[in-house]
Amino acid sequence: VLTLVLLCVAPRTHGNACEWTAPTGDKFDLSGLSHKDYWMIQDSQKNFRYYLNVCKNSKLPKECVDGHVKPSPALQVEAKSWKHVCKDLASLDVQTFNLLDPKDAQKGFEMTYGGGDKCGSTPREIRFHFICSPHFDEGPLQIFETTKSCHYNVTWATKHGCPVGKSLFFGLGGGSTSSSSSSGGWISSFFRFFFFGLFAYVLAGCAFLKYTNPDVPVGLGTCPNVEFWISALEMGMSFGATAMQKVKEKVTGSAPPDPEFEDKYPMGKDQADEDFEDDEEDL
């Protein structure tokens, strides 16, 4: 059981992934954008051509077949120079994911490939911004290069930028491979992990007790520490009822009924008012 839990919560740290599960539990699938050759796009000044792919390397264009360029999912070729210098911008083995908006997976997500040709001492990297557009799928729209950091940004509106469903164990595994996950995502992941571990513990305990005591009928008697869990449930329900009462008092501004008052005046407030008036007449 421990091995199963560890497999479920282990983050995905290797590259070349087409599928990703966000910390919110939303699943994304880029396999529909994996081109048999490449997607070609030019920058706004038409100085460079870019040959891009996802999930696999781009097919080398003729300018890059001299053997000096390693396979890459993103290649840059000088368009206006007669030399047509070719550079690889990234490697499939260096890959990270993030949501565009940590609170709203419906806006899309971003994927970064790193480990490209050195730009000074810094490897080049390219980041794809997949914008969720259910009815638009025309390939990458535009690309920008940050020359100082040799970082490239691709804007890509596509239906594949939209979530395709929820993970069965969402928040437990396959989360963001970068360090930018929000604290809320970590907190929710902790509780999901806790309840999943609790479920695995009870299930494994019941199976073990049934295996070691085959004559015991299936039921609460085969669950581990059943007395403890029943008492814990009762305590939880009592705590919940008390908390609800406190909230009700806070919202309505009323206090809970006094048990002694109810015993003395079973007919309620009207009976108490009558007794009070009788006492005043006696005085």
Side-chain angles (χ1 to χ4, degrees):
V1 175
L2 179 60
T3 302
L4 176 61
V5 173
L6 291 176
L7 287 174
C8 288
V9 302
R12 195 166 52 210
T13 56
H14 57 80
N16 200 20
C18 266
E19 297 180 358
W20 176 59
T21 301
T24 57
D26 296 277
K27 296 178 66 176
F28 296 90
D29 186 357
L30 290 173
S31 57
L33 296 181
S34 184
H35 202 286
K36 64 182 182 68
D37 294 328
Y38 46 68
W39 299 89
M40 197 279 285
I41 186 174
Q42 286 187 293
D43 64 335
S44 57
Q45 288 79 33
K46 299 188 183 301
N47 292 323
F48 299 97
R49 291 192 299 271
Y50 295 87
Y51 299 87
L52 311 175
N53 214 341
V54 293
C55 306
K56 66 179 183 179
N57 291 320
S58 297
K59 180 181 178 182
L60 293 178
K62 61 182 181 180
E63 297 90 346
C64 303
V65 295
D66 58 1
H68 293 89
V69 179
K70 66 181 181 181
S72 173
L75 299 162
Q76 180 196 59
V77 175
E78 292 185 6
K80 294 183 177 180
S81 170
W82 65 271
K83 293 182 179 179
H84 296 302
V85 177
C86 180
K87 298 175 182 176
D88 74 89
L89 307 183
S91 169
L92 286 175
D93 296 326
V94 184
Q95 182 184 34
T96 58
F97 293 91
N98 275 301
L99 289 173
L100 294 179
D101 183 344
K103 297 181 180 180
D104 187 1
Q106 295 294 331
K107 292 183 179 180
F109 70 106
E110 61 184 28
M111 178 188 67
T112 303
Y113 285 133
D117 275 347
K118 288 290 184 68
C119 181
S121 59
T122 304
R124 287 177 166 83
E125 69 174 18
I126 185 167
R127 180 171 298 163
F128 294 88
H129 300 265
F130 296 108
I131 301 171
C132 178
S133 302
H135 306 294
F136 189 87
D137 205 19
E138 299 296 331
L141 296 177
Q142 55 188 359
I143 186 168
F144 297 99
E145 176 185 1
T146 305
T147 54
K148 291 184 178 180
S149 61
C150 294
H151 178 91
Y152 306 83
N153 288 293
V154 178
T155 302
W156 199 331
T158 171
K159 62 184 179 182
H160 300 287
C162 306
V164 295
K166 284 279 189 179
S167 171
L168 177 61
F169 303 111
F170 80 96
L172 292 177
S176 173
T177 56
S178 73
S179 58
S180 62
S181 297
S182 65
S183 58
W186 281 109
I187 294 172
S188 61
S189 296
F190 168 77
F191 281 106
R192 293 171 192 139
F193 173 74
F194 172 78
F195 286 112
F196 176 74
L198 180 63
F199 171 77
Y201 162 76
V202 173
L203 184 64
C206 292
F208 176 77
L209 290 178
K210 180 61 179 176
Y211 176 78
T212 55
N213 300 278
D215 296 332
V216 177
V218 177
L220 289 177
T222 57
C223 295
N225 303 314
V226 63
E227 295 84 4
F228 167 78
W229 294 114
I230 292 177
S231 62
L233 179 61
E234 291 175 346
M235 289 178 60
M237 294 176 64
S238 176
F239 176 79
T242 303
M244 288 294 294
Q245 182 62 43
K246 293 292 185 182
V247 171
K248 183 179 180 181
E249 293 175 23
K250 190 73 174 178
V251 173
T252 62
S254 61
D258 185 358
E260 294 184 1
F261 178 87
E262 291 184 343
D263 292 340
K264 187 175 181 180
Y265 303 107
M267 300 299 292
K269 183 176 180 300
D270 292 339
Q271 183 183 0
D273 292 340
E274 291 178 2
D275 289 354
F276 180 74
E277 292 175 357
D278 293 340
D279 290 341
E280 283 187 333
E281 291 177 0
D282 292 340
L283 293 174

